[in-house]
Amino acid sequence: MTSDAQPHAADLLGHSSTTLRRVSVALGERSYEVLIGEDLMKQHQLWAPLIQGRQVALVTNETIAKLYAASVREALEPFAANFIQIELPDGEAYKDWQHLQLIFDALLSHRFDRRSVLVAFGGGVVGDMTGFAAACYQRGVDFIQIPTTLLAQVDSSVGGKTGINHPAGKNMIGAFHQPKLVLADARWLHSLPERELSAGLAEVIKHGAIADRDYLEEVLANMPALLKAEPAALIAAVARSCEIKAAVVGEDEREDDRRAVLNFGHTFGHAIEAGLGYGVLLHGEAVGTGMVMASELSQRLGLLAPSDRERLLAAIKAARLPMQAPAWSTAEYVKWMSVDKKARAGRPRFVLLKGLGQAFMREVDEAIVDQSIKACLEQPARN
Ligand code: NAD
Ligand code: GLY
């Protein structure tokens, strides 16, 4: 678990990469970079200075540990003063206090101090839990994100939202705590199940829809390559998505206002996710259907042209995401939507599109919400 071995200076030069993309998240003294490419663990110079001579805890889950933890450990351990690996069970069901405690137990039993660094190696669940543990442990230690799902690379590893679920609501307990670095490596995505890839594409499509219509068209054109997990297509999408997210987070880190646009499709999406029961649909799948519904609402309000909505629906369909809203009453949708974090005094607020690439948030008359929901129940089923 521990290593005294220090790397040779020449190792710090690492390997060159032809595909490395860098995105800065500009937050003053909390600024950091998202590095996007392939074989980033071999490029020691990119990350070793952040862990050199420090106590390092690699936090992962049992699935990712089997696939990749040995190689990541081999890369990190020589630079660390002391190295431990913490393995969580796999699944959203374990994103809770009880399993967060496993991280604190391990850190304390190995006498990790305030200069320790946690490394989150996994999807959004591992990233959110590790980030929250880093925010709390001894009142805050550094952490690095190594996201292994597309969703985590384009969304959850960037922006510093960390946390766990409470039985009364998803992500209800948490903290803003920015990582020191994000290493988004396309190599990990080769083993990602197709359904998880599609779920990540929902957030990619969302970024185009809220901020960059040309990007949405590019994603649509590249969909076959993205679905085949071709590295060049993935690296381009992760980089552009991270640029869009970084710009929004740089403007409004703590979601006082503007950052809410990153929740396009999520008001309906969270309602679907919670109403069906967590785990029936993946988060990204629920967001796909949520974008179908939020764009219907935007069109009905006269904000989004039908032809623009068609382009968005084409992208959601091409990504093989579900498009059929559950056949619930409006009252059922409103019940679930009123616990959304954007709600004010129990009244849901919606992120809407006033054209592709331009998002904003507002309350909407209940009658129009009702009409939109009913219209979406009539959408054809996926593909
Ligand atoms: P996840 O972390 O559950 O990962 C999905 C599945 O893929 C898991 O079974 C995981 O073990 C497996 N997996 C991960 N990487 C793999 C790989 N390379 N090869 C094979 N299998 C792999 O799910 P997710 O979609 O990454 O993240 C969802 C979580 O992220 C939710 O808890 C959500 O609330 C959170 N989230 C957070 C933010 C944020 O801003 N913090 C944003 C969006 C979502
Ligand atoms: N995923 C939404 C946000 O980071 O704000």
Side-chain angles (χ1 to χ4, degrees):
M1 291 262 178
T2 60
S3 170
D4 295 321
Q6 294 298 313
H8 190 273
D11 288 342
L12 289 170
L13 295 173
H15 295 242
S16 65
S17 167
T18 50
T19 53
L20 186 68
R21 301 277 306 268
R22 291 172 183 266
V23 175
S24 296
V25 185
L27 291 168
E29 61 181 15
R30 293 182 305 289
S31 297
Y32 56 96
E33 279 195 313
V34 183
L35 303 180
I36 305 134
E38 284 185 280
D39 292 328
L40 300 177
M41 298 318 296
K42 291 184 186 158
Q43 302 176 56
H44 304 149
Q45 79 284 5
L46 299 174
W47 46 264
L50 291 171
I51 64 161
Q52 184 93 49
R54 295 168 73 173
Q55 292 169 298
V56 175
L58 180 70
V59 186
T60 188
N61 75 23
E62 57 206 4
T63 307
I64 301 150
K66 278 193 202 93
L67 289 167
Y68 301 120
S71 64
V72 172
R73 178 180 185 148
E74 203 178 301
L76 297 176
E77 194 167 11
F79 295 92
N82 182 10
F83 181 94
I84 63 169
Q85 184 172 313
I86 302 169
E87 246 176 73
L88 301 170
D90 185 359
E92 184 77 31
Y94 304 104
K95 190 177 159 182
D96 60 11
W97 270 120
Q98 193 189 334
H99 294 88
L100 186 73
Q101 186 74 7
L102 295 178
I103 304 179
F104 298 135
D105 290 349
L107 297 175
L108 286 165
S109 68
H110 288 86
R111 297 180 190 281
F112 270 46
D113 63 26
R114 297 198 62 212
R115 284 196 70 249
S116 310
V117 185
L118 308 194
V119 179
F121 183 48
V125 170
V126 166
D128 282 10
M129 290 179 76
T130 309
F132 189 39
C136 301
Y137 187 67
Q138 300 197 6
R139 300 200 182 88
V141 296
D142 289 350
F143 86 112
I144 295 172
Q145 288 269 19
I146 308 183
T148 62
T149 63
L150 182 59
L151 184 135
Q153 294 195 357
V154 298
D155 192 354
S156 63
S157 65
V158 178
K161 280 189 182 175
T162 73
I164 54 169
N165 300 326
H166 184 278
K170 192 166 150 64
N171 296 330
M172 283 292 156
I173 314 295
F176 286 97
H177 189 57
Q178 301 291 343
K180 290 291 169 192
L181 179 70
V182 181
L183 292 171
D185 197 320
R187 284 268 187 249
W188 312 126
L189 304 181
H190 293 173
S191 53
L192 202 59
E194 275 174 30
R195 208 177 146 197
E196 298 287 352
L197 198 63
S198 290
L201 286 169
E203 303 287 3
V204 168
I205 292 166
K206 176 197 79 180
H207 287 132
I210 62 167
D212 183 349
R213 66 179 302 147
D214 292 343
Y215 175 45
L216 183 70
E217 288 299 336
E218 201 180 299
V219 168
L220 192 46
N222 284 337
M223 200 58 88
L226 287 164
L227 287 168
K228 277 190 244 156
E230 286 180 13
L234 288 171
I235 288 168
V238 174
R240 183 63 191 129
S241 276
C242 288
E243 280 171 2
I244 290 169
K245 181 155 186 185
V248 175
V249 169
E251 216 180 297
D252 177 23
E253 182 184 8
R254 299 177 74 87
E255 199 168 315
D256 292 321
D257 182 27
R258 177 72 187 153
R259 185 165 176 168
V261 298
L262 293 171
N263 277 310
F264 176 60
H266 286 58
T267 309
F268 290 111
H270 281 153
I272 294 169
E273 223 181 332
L276 287 177
Y278 292 113
V280 175
L281 283 188
L282 299 176
H283 172 74
E285 291 175 328
V287 169
T289 307
M291 289 191 291
V292 173
M293 300 179 84
S295 61
E296 167 67 34
L297 189 55
S298 304
Q299 183 181 319
R300 210 160 267 273
L301 288 163
L303 298 163
L304 184 67
S307 56
D308 279 354
R309 180 163 187 255
E310 281 311 313
R311 297 309 290 161
L312 175 60
L313 297 190
I316 297 168
K317 184 174 179 187
R320 300 182 188 150
L321 288 159
M323 301 178 78
Q324 177 81 62
W328 301 334
S329 67
T330 297
E332 184 74 5
Y333 275 99
V334 171
K335 179 185 89 181
W336 289 109
M337 290 191 298
S338 59
V339 291
D340 185 87
K341 285 201 275 318
K342 294 181 295 304
R344 290 286 178 270
R347 287 174 66 83
R349 295 190 297 167
F350 296 89
V351 180
L352 301 166
L353 298 180
K354 49 183 172 190
L356 277 182
Q358 293 178 67
F360 72 110
M361 185 175 55
R362 65 169 243 207
E363 280 188 23
V364 180
D365 188 85
E366 276 173 26
I368 300 178
V369 174
D370 178 51
Q371 289 161 15
S372 293
I373 289 172
K374 286 180 174 142
C376 288
L377 304 183
E378 289 151 21
Q379 292 289 318
R382 83 151 94 173
N383 303 328

